[in-house]
Amino acid sequence: MAKVVRVLAVLLPLLPAALMTPAAAQPAPLPWTGSWETAPSGTAAPLPGAAFRNVVHLSVGGTAVRVRLSNRLGTRPLRLGAVTVALRHAAGPAALPGTLRTATFHGAPEVTVPPGADTVSDTVPLPVPPAADLLVTVYTPEDSGPATYHRTALQTSYLAPAGAGRAADEDGTAYTLTTSRWYYVTGVDVRGPAAGSVVAFGDSLTDGNGSTPDTNRRWPDRLAQRLRGHRLGVLNAGIAGNRLLRDGTGPSALARLDADALDRAGVRALVVFEGINDIKGTPQAHDPAAYADAYRVLVARAHARGIPVVGVTLTPYGGYPAWTPAGEEVRLRVNAFIRTGGAFDAVADADAAVRDPADPTRIRPAYDPGDHLHFNDAGMAAVADTVRHALTRPRHSVAVTPHLSEAFTTPNTTG
């Protein structure tokens, strides 16, 4: 298959025309697009009888939603006794009056999800604006074994310990406990005029570590703000502790690529920002050729779906306890491949954007939350700007092939 050529967003001006409905007696239904995502990162003890009210922040809006729920890391069938969605009313666990809806599954209000599997709800007729907070409430009536969750939510969600009948509460008074994890929910798709979505695929730097909790200032959130005028959603498939070459926190990047990125609805581009945990982790991976091979596999699998890929250079971590001169040499050699190896359709040079000019082994002090590895809110904004530039550089600076054009203008209805 012909190699998908560099950089996607040269075609962004074409997207509105691509979404115009041709003259016909019956207009085609609007496509589904991913508006929010989190990737399963592990399991927690079940809380039978509880209702989990997850707070999630959408990127693009639509006229209806559907929710993705996961038992991917569970070991027993997961019975979901009730699932509801609603727009959030201000802060806290209360629903905006009149917006709470019951999600069904093949017409039924309950569903049992096999271990290792995900499920997607039926269409829920709920108009949602861009950048809305949505409440996805999941009631688990019995002990279904380990609960699939995302650990590093950086978002306060809520728990009703006695959850029977509480999923349908607009009032949030039953939700007396808080949690910093997302339970069971892994995605929200919207039906509407969105032009598709960009998947941010990575580790804690993408998951948001270092940014201010409850403010949606991870770099994928900032990127979503910057792409809103293009009607593009952004999906955050980051997992803190994740690795490129082997399992770490959550399955390796190669193992989870399909479920967390390529199988999502309406994907137009994949942004890969992963590898630093392989350099600094245990065991350390010091062969740059292994990184190059893994990146080539990720790109080839995305290209097989018609999805272009942006590679993000690995950022400095000097001053972090696991930093070593040998690891720094690996990082520089991996970055040289990302920049010049020809594997990616475009490159976002986050290393150049955040490194300290006085000491390129370190992050700029203005971007460092204090651990010398992650980014504070300002650093997250800098990464978002770098990725946005890679996605939207001017048309004259890149070559465009028919294959790439087709990838951007033909809706991906997977999922």
Side-chain angles (χ1 to χ4, degrees):
M1 153 179 166
K3 183 175 184 278
V4 179
V5 170
R6 332 219 136 207
V7 177
L8 2 84
V10 299
L11 297 163
L12 287 172
L14 303 179
L15 287 170
L19 292 173
M20 292 176 61
T21 303
Q26 183 67 39
L30 292 170
W32 286 106
T33 296
S35 183
W36 175 86
E37 174 189 354
T38 195
S41 68
T43 60
L47 292 173
F52 301 87
R53 181 153 280 183
N54 300 281
V55 178
V56 306
H57 187 69
L58 304 183
S59 54
V60 288
T63 60
V65 302
R66 64 184 184 186
V67 294
R68 294 169 177 261
L69 300 155
S70 183
N71 191 26
R72 197 184 308 169
L73 304 179
T75 58
R76 292 162 53 185
L78 168 65
R79 181 184 167 209
L80 303 178
V83 178
T84 63
V85 296
L87 289 170
R88 187 188 194 191
H89 179 63
L96 186 68
T99 68
L100 193 138
R101 306 283 190 274
T102 296
T104 60
F105 303 83
H106 302 289
E110 293 193 16
V111 67
T112 298
V113 188
D118 298 342
T119 192
V120 180
S121 76
D122 301 331
T123 300
V124 180
L126 175 66
V128 293
D133 280 351
L134 195 71
L135 303 177
V136 181
T137 305
V138 180
Y139 167 56
T140 52
E142 60 195 35
D143 184 348
S144 295
T148 295
Y149 79 129
H150 183 88
R151 182 185 62 190
T152 311
L154 297 174
Q155 172 66 60
T156 300
S157 291
Y158 302 90
L159 177 68
R166 297 304 185 182
D169 284 1
E170 286 188 346
D171 187 312
T173 55
Y175 292 84
T176 56
L177 302 179
T178 61
T179 177
S180 60
R181 301 165 173 175
W182 284 308
Y183 282 84
Y184 302 112
V185 61
T186 60
V188 178
D189 301 334
V190 298
R191 171 163 274 167
S197 59
V198 175
V199 178
F201 190 72
D203 49 38
S204 59
L205 302 176
T206 298
D207 210 357
N209 293 47
S211 66
T212 303
D214 291 317
T215 62
N216 301 302
R217 293 179 182 170
R218 314 162 191 86
W219 75 257
D221 297 312
R222 295 299 186 92
L223 181 64
Q225 294 172 356
R226 287 148 174 77
L227 295 180
R228 195 160 294 141
H230 299 296
R231 294 183 288 117
L232 283 168
V234 177
L235 303 180
N236 189 335
I239 297 178
N242 201 232
R243 298 180 67 154
L244 176 69
L245 302 175
R246 61 189 301 139
D247 292 348
T249 302
S252 73
L254 291 171
R256 69 186 185 92
L257 178 65
D258 286 1
D260 289 341
L262 304 184
D263 289 346
R264 298 288 167 154
V267 176
R268 296 293 171 273
L270 174 67
V271 180
V272 176
F273 187 13
E274 187 136 27
I276 201 68
N277 286 328
D278 298 85
I279 293 175
K280 71 176 184 60
T282 304
Q284 297 175 345
H286 280 173
D287 181 7
Y291 295 80
D293 289 344
Y295 290 137
R296 288 190 184 101
V297 170
L298 289 172
V299 171
R301 287 167 59 184
H303 283 181
R305 305 280 195 100
I307 298 171
V309 186
V310 175
V312 183
T313 51
L314 304 184
T315 47
Y317 68 111
Y320 188 75
W323 185 91
T324 64
E328 177 67 8
E329 178 62 23
V330 174
R331 187 182 73 87
L332 295 176
R333 292 177 65 186
V334 170
N335 280 349
F337 173 80
I338 293 172
R339 291 186 182 106
T340 64
F344 294 101
D345 302 294
V347 173
D349 200 344
D351 172 41
V354 306
R355 69 190 178 214
D356 185 352
D359 183 355
T361 69
R362 290 177 175 258
I363 300 168
R364 289 175 182 263
Y367 295 160
D368 188 347
D371 67 2
H372 314 303
L373 171 66
H374 299 101
F375 312 124
N376 61 18
D377 294 349
M380 292 287 178
V383 174
D385 286 336
T386 303
V387 174
R388 180 203 55 79
H389 178 73
L391 290 166
T392 60
R393 66 179 58 175
R395 184 182 190 86
H396 68 267
S397 66
V398 297
V400 181
T401 67
H403 188 81
L404 182 57
S405 177
E406 181 181 354
F408 260 98
T409 59
T410 303
N412 173 3
T413 56
T414 300

